[in-house]
């Protein structure tokens, strides 16, 4: 049996829930087929601890694919992140009360890593099913980007393990009164069921335009 590791975060920034965890929690134990099973884990919204939790989960589960998810309130679509940067600039404190500014994720690490997931093919498969999704070229400078960078750094010599990060919009109940977009947790779950097989089976990503002008 092969394992796909999905991670979601605990709530942060005063929210009651984090839809990234609500979504991946629903898929814990889900079988893509007879050979591939999903295991879901929650990460703390804490700079150091989240990296340790992720490392421990990868060591324990030896996944063939890792997709970390996080909430990005205000985003209008599922955002498959292309690039993780070696930089932290926290606008708010993490859940342990720490607010690092202008720090590296990994001292002496490269400036950035690209995801090893076929993000364009994944986005394409979702759009075809009527689910809003896009490639994003910034994962921010907070805990999500840090976990994404730490993930790619940890797997840099393990070419066979595909890994990446998905930012998701607020759940509808979080968006009330905020005049921002939202997406139901059920739709995120449906999206993962569509794009995970694509991620596993695609060997070369699609060469279609997905960039931004600004
Ligand atoms: N989103 C935050 C951290 C945890 C989460 O779900 C971020 O985008 O950095």
């Amino acid at each position: 049996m092969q394992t796909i590791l999905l991670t979601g975060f605990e709530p942060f920034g005063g929210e009651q829930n984090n839809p990234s965890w609500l979504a991946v929690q629903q898929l814990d134990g889900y079988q893509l087929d007879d050979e591939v099973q999903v295991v879901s884990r929650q990460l703390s919204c804490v700079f150091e601890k989240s990296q340790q939790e992720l490392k421990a989960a990868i060591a324990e589960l030896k996944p063939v694919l890792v997709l970390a998810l996080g909430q990005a309130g205000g985003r209008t679509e599922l955002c498959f992140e292309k690039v993780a940067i070696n930089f932290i600039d926290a606008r708010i404190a993490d859940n342990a009360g720490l607010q690092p500014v202008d720090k590296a994720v990994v001292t002496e690490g490269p400036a950035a890593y690209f995801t090893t997931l076929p993000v364009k093919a994944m986005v394409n498969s979702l759009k075809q099913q009527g689910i809003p999704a896009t490639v994003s070229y910034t994962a921010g400078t907070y805990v999500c980007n840090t976990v994404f960078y730490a993930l790619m750094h940890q797997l840099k010599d393990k070419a066979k393990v595909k890994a990446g990060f998905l930012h998701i919009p607020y759940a509808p109940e979080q968006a009330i009164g905020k005049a921002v977009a939202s997406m139901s947790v059920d739709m995120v779950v449906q999206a993962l069921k569509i794009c995970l097989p694509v991620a596993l089976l695609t060997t070369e990503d699609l060469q279609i335009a997905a960039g931004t002008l600004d």
Side-chain angles (χ1 to χ4, degrees):
M1 186 67 80
Q2 294 187 318
T3 299
I4 291 180
L5 171 61
L6 297 181
T7 67
F9 280 99
E10 64 181 0
F12 72 104
E15 297 287 338
Q16 295 300 308
N17 278 309
N18 189 322
S20 66
W21 172 242
L22 297 181
V24 304
Q25 186 183 30
Q26 282 194 37
L27 287 170
D28 190 28
Y30 173 75
Q31 302 232 160
L32 269 70
D33 55 34
D34 289 349
E35 270 149 40
V36 186
Q37 171 174 294
V38 171
V39 175
S40 303
R41 292 286 165 86
Q42 190 183 68
L43 301 182
S44 306
C45 189
V46 175
F47 280 98
E48 285 294 330
K49 197 172 168 199
S50 56
Q51 295 176 61
Q52 291 155 11
E53 291 166 340
L54 179 68
K55 204 169 186 175
I58 291 173
E60 176 199 335
L61 299 164
K62 300 182 181 51
V64 291
L65 188 151
V66 184
L67 181 62
L69 281 81
Q71 161 197 315
R75 300 246 186 150
T76 57
E77 305 180 87
L78 295 175
C79 290
F80 288 82
E81 300 296 347
K82 178 72 185 179
V83 56
I85 59 172
N86 191 12
F87 188 69
I88 302 174
D89 187 357
R91 195 168 46 80
I92 56 172
D94 67 12
N95 284 358
L98 291 181
Q99 191 175 358
V101 170
D102 294 355
K103 295 270 186 299
V105 179
V106 176
T107 316
E108 308 289 317
Y113 285 108
F114 288 129
T115 182
T116 47
L117 293 175
V119 283
K120 290 185 174 180
M122 293 166 82
V123 165
N124 209 40
S125 70
L126 294 172
K127 288 204 241 177
Q128 280 172 2
Q129 301 288 323
I131 298 178
T134 192
V135 177
S136 161
Y137 293 93
T138 174
T141 56
Y142 193 50
V143 179
C144 287
N145 174 74
T146 296
V147 158
F148 181 22
Y149 185 93
L151 171 66
M152 301 317 299
H153 186 70
Q154 197 188 331
L155 295 174
K156 67 182 178 359
D157 299 320
K158 297 207 168 81
K160 282 193 187 142
V161 186
K162 295 178 180 178
F165 197 96
L166 172 61
H167 261 130
I168 67 173
Y170 278 136
E173 59 274 20
Q174 295 178 291
I176 294 171
K178 291 191 184 128
V180 291
S182 64
M183 183 180 285
S184 72
V185 169
D186 283 351
M187 182 171 270
V188 178
V189 171
Q190 190 196 345
L192 290 169
K193 287 181 179 173
I194 293 166
C195 73
L196 288 174
V198 174
L200 272 185
L201 296 173
T202 306
T203 45
E204 289 268 317
D205 200 2
L206 298 177
Q207 283 204 314
I208 49 174
T212 54
L213 293 186
D214 48 19

